């Protein structure tokens, strides 16, 4: 196929990728809907596994990190140590405040939070009898467990990757990716696609060793999923559809069909946006709202699922509902509650956290240069 404009060409503000915002909104809603069916005991709608939605989140993260780095350009080169520190500070304050709230809520409400999930498992014991990872009765919020999660170190320790009943294993992945991203981008800038191929090769070797010698509960080790982040990075920099094909190959290394199709869909949507062909409804306020709420919805929807489980445990009428009716009711309750709560978290936790990270990064630049820093797009 003849070369075409880069799928990301013409964009300089990473917060203005309406196509990526739509995909982020989709991924969060996908996780919520699938979890309602899984925990409600009826998966009658042919919605693919929520693990694929998390793969999409990883590609989006890789894409946006490159877009943000490109937007700052020469004003904040990641080749300088202080700019890497500023990058890490912003990313930490983007993820940590809302996550710490979720972890704190899980610890404080542990008897009820875990009981709600247990009640849902008790409704469908045959489906959960062989479950080895998500077992509410085995969760203990010990000091070591909490400290490992507060530090995000848990992501590098497979035995701790699923010990909170929160969907935080992917956050461990994100923090590991942020740690290496500046160096990956510098290598990409110097050696182009060859650098990413080398990174994939090394990560696959390390992933093989990890699977051989460690018990993997959730795929929270970066080497197990680095290729998905790299696929997103490559899509952002793709100048031809041949490069998009390489990104799809990266995404396909999990030996599943959905991730490369998601990579292709992302590439097509970003390319159409660069040509001004993205449908108007994908640029609408509801998509923007759902995208902004996506992180908090992903983090907190489990509390609403648990609350529904507690309601079932204390209601004979709810226990008598058929699985499809139960899932429909759960879906309505969890959707409304999650997006409403997400708005509160976004307004009062996420936005202040973003601002704290921005201010700290500016102070770091001012200390280093003796002049105030005001980079664009600190989100």
């Amino acid at each position: 196929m003849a070369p075409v404009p880069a799928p990301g060409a013409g964009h300089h503000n990473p917060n203005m990728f309406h196509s990526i915002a739509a995909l982020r909104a989709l991924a969060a809603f996908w996780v919520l809907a699938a979890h309602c069916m899984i925990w409600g005991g009826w998966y009658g709608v042919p919605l693919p596994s929520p693990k694929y939605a998390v793969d999409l989140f990883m590609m989006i993260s890789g894409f946006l990190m490159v877009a943000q780095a490109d937007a700052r350009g020469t004003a904040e080169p990641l080749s300088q140590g202080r700019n890497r520190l500023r990058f890490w500070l912003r990313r930490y304050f983007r993820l940590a405040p809302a996550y710490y709230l979720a972890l704190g809520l899980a610890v404080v409400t542990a008897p009820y939070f875990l009981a709600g999930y247990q009640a849902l498992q008790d409704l469908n014991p045959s489906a959960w009898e062989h479950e080895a990872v998500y077992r509410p009765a085995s969760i203990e919020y010990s000091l070591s467990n909490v400290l490992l999660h507060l530090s995000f170190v848990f992501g590098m320790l497979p035995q701790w990757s699923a010990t909170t009943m929160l969907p935080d294993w992917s956050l461990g992945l994100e923090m590991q990716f942020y740690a290496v991203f500046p160096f990956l981008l510098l290598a990409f800038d110097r050696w182009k696609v060859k650098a990413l191929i080398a990174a994939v090769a090394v990560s696959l070797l390390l992933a093989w060793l990890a699977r051989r010698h460690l018990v993997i509960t959730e795929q929270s080790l970066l080497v197990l999923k680095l290729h998905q982040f790299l696929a997103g990075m490559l899509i952002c920099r793709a100048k031809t559809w041949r490069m998009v094909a390489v990104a799809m190959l990266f995404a396909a290394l999990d030996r599943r069909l959905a991730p490369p199709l998601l990579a292709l869909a992302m590439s097509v949507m970003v390319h159409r946006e660069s040509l001004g062909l993205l449908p108007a409804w994908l640029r609408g306020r509801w998509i923007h709202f759902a995208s902004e709420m996506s992180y908090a919805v992903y983090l907190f929807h489990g509390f609403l699922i648990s609350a529904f489980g507690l309601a079932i445990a204390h209601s004979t009428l709810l226990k008598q509902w058929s699985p499809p009716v139960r899932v429909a009711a759960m879906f309505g309750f969890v959707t409304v509650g999650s997006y409403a709560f997400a708005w509160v978290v976004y307004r009062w936790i996420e936005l202040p956290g973003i601002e704290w990270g921005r201010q700290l990064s500016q102070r770091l630049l001012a200390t280093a240069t003796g002049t105030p820093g005001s980079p664009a797009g600190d989100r």
Side-chain angles (χ1 to χ4, degrees):
M1 183 174 183
V4 295
H11 293 276
H12 301 287
N13 184 347
N15 298 320
M16 292 304 292
F17 281 104
H18 299 290
S19 52
I20 297 299
L23 289 171
R24 186 165 53 185
L26 168 66
F29 185 74
W30 180 350
V31 170
L32 181 153
H35 282 173
C36 284
M37 288 189 283
I38 290 170
W39 288 98
W42 178 77
Y43 214 101
V45 177
L47 183 66
S49 167
K51 298 292 187 186
Y52 298 136
V54 179
D55 288 338
L56 179 56
F57 271 129
M58 294 173 200
M59 295 181 214
I60 290 171
S61 183
F63 183 103
L64 288 178
M65 292 307 97
V66 173
Q68 290 180 359
D70 288 348
R72 292 182 174 89
T74 57
E76 193 178 322
L78 292 177
S79 57
Q80 298 177 3
R82 68 171 179 268
N83 289 331
R84 292 195 291 270
L85 180 57
R86 296 176 69 212
F87 167 81
W88 292 323
L89 278 173
R90 284 194 299 268
R91 301 322 302 164
Y92 173 81
F93 280 98
R94 178 64 184 93
L95 288 188
Y99 173 59
Y100 288 166
L101 174 62
L103 183 61
L105 281 177
V107 173
V108 170
T109 66
Y112 306 100
F113 180 55
L114 299 176
Y117 276 115
Q118 189 62 57
L120 292 171
Q121 287 190 347
D122 291 343
L123 282 177
N124 193 16
S126 61
W128 295 97
E129 60 180 339
H130 300 299
E131 174 61 38
V133 178
Y134 293 100
R135 296 180 298 170
S138 69
I139 299 296
E140 179 184 355
Y141 296 107
S142 63
L143 180 61
S144 56
N145 189 12
V146 172
L147 289 178
L148 285 171
H149 283 76
L150 287 173
S151 66
F152 291 98
V153 172
F154 74 96
M156 295 180 285
L157 304 172
Q159 68 270 32
W160 296 95
S161 63
T163 55
T164 63
M165 288 300 292
L166 295 172
D168 51 7
W169 64 273
S170 65
L171 300 190
L173 272 173
E174 287 279 341
M175 294 302 284
Q176 293 169 65
F177 174 64
Y178 297 153
V180 302
F181 169 76
F183 308 105
L184 288 171
L185 187 62
L186 290 171
F188 189 20
D189 287 340
R190 183 168 182 177
W191 294 294
K192 307 305 178 186
V193 178
K194 292 180 287 188
L196 299 192
I197 292 175
V200 165
V202 171
S203 67
L204 289 178
L205 174 61
L206 294 176
W208 177 80
L209 291 172
R211 290 190 176 98
R212 186 177 178 87
H213 298 287
L214 300 173
V215 177
I216 306 295
T217 51
E218 280 287 11
Q219 296 188 342
S220 64
L221 285 171
L222 182 61
V223 294
L224 302 176
K225 286 293 186 179
L226 181 60
H227 52 280
Q228 302 294 3
F229 291 103
L230 296 181
M233 290 178 62
L234 190 53
I235 290 169
C236 188
R237 285 285 186 84
K239 293 181 172 60
T240 68
W241 289 106
R242 184 177 300 174
M243 292 178 70
V244 171
V246 175
M248 292 176 64
L249 180 61
F250 285 178
L253 291 174
D254 281 333
R255 292 179 292 181
R256 298 173 300 170
L257 180 61
L261 293 180
L262 290 171
L264 177 60
M266 179 188 295
S267 301
V268 170
M269 288 179 66
V270 174
H271 179 58
R272 287 180 63 83
E273 183 173 7
S274 72
L275 299 177
L277 299 176
L278 196 69
W281 67 272
L282 288 177
R283 294 179 273 112
R285 61 181 181 178
W286 288 110
I287 294 295
H288 176 75
F289 171 81
S291 176
E292 296 292 273
M293 300 303 108
S294 61
Y295 177 47
V297 166
Y298 178 77
L299 267 182
F300 291 97
H301 73 279
F303 289 96
L304 279 300
I305 290 176
S306 171
F308 195 86
L310 282 176
I312 288 177
H314 293 87
S315 171
T316 303
L317 175 62
L318 294 182
K319 289 180 182 178
Q320 295 174 347
W321 285 357
S322 66
V325 172
R326 182 167 62 238
V327 167
M330 178 188 289
F331 174 75
F333 172 74
V334 172
T335 300
V336 173
S338 294
Y339 281 92
F341 190 72
W343 183 86
V344 175
V345 172
Y346 178 75
R347 177 67 179 81
W348 298 106
I349 303 296
E350 289 186 61
L351 288 181
I354 292 168
E355 180 61 19
W356 295 337
R358 186 187 66 83
Q359 290 181 6
L360 283 174
S361 69
Q362 287 184 343
R363 289 173 187 171
L364 179 64
L365 179 63
T367 300
T369 64
T371 58
S374 56
D378 265 345
R379 292 182 58 188

